[in-house]
Amino acid sequence: MNSDFYCDSILSGRVPFVTIAESSGVLAFEHTQPTWEIHIVVIPKQHVRQLIEVQDAALFGEIFTLMSGIIMDRGFAETNYKIITNGGSYQSTQHLHFHLVSGKPLDPGNPAQSGEMMV
């Protein structure tokens, strides 16, 4: 898939969403089609196609600072959380994004949502 849902639909405002947190360069919002009890998407506001294309180390700092704040503010550190990103053929939209999830998967029968993944 070559589309960039996050630029085309979220950042453009075409699809409504609930903002969780925001900084000058990063946006965190409730997933529009969640697969976990708590499912937050974190994206850079500038277009970056995938993780390996990040040229600015400060962007990583901004992303992880925002995610860390959400984890602490919402008490996920005392319960559970995962941070997930995909690349290559696993990446469904061509914009770097992280899934910050907590609670239980909505479909535990789906291997991608089965909690602890076997490595």
Side-chain angles (χ1 to χ4, degrees), residues 11-12 21-22 28-29 33 36 40 42 49 59 70 73 82 89 93 95 104 108 112 117-119:
L11 293 173
S12 72
E22 189 171 4
F29 59 95
Q33 297 179 337
W36 290 77
I40 299 166
V42 181
R49 195 168 65 85
L59 179 59
I70 295 167
D73 291 347
K82 285 185 182 193
S89 64
T93 185
H95 190 101
K104 295 179 182 175
M117 292 186 194
M118 300 298 248
V119 181

Side-chain angles (χ1 to χ4, degrees), residues 36-113:
W36 290 77
E37 288 178 325
I38 299 169
H39 194 159
I40 299 166
V41 178
V42 181
I43 61 171
K45 292 179 180 178
Q46 68 184 34
H47 179 73
V48 177
R49 195 168 65 85
Q50 58 184 334
L51 184 72
I52 61 171
E53 294 178 4
V54 174
Q55 299 292 314
D56 181 7
L59 179 59
F60 280 125
E62 192 172 351
I63 289 168
F64 282 92
T65 297
L66 193 77
M67 285 195 288
S68 196
I70 295 167
I71 290 164
M72 297 304 292
D73 291 347
R74 294 194 166 217
F76 298 162
E78 289 78 39
T79 57
N80 61 39
Y81 68 93
K82 285 185 182 193
I83 297 171
I84 306 160
T85 193
N86 298 303
S89 64
Y90 290 147
Q91 189 172 348
S92 61
T93 185
Q94 299 305 302
H95 190 101
L96 175 63
H97 61 284
F98 295 85
H99 299 268
L100 172 56
V101 299
S102 184
K104 295 179 182 175
L106 299 180
D107 181 5
N110 180 337
Q113 298 176 37

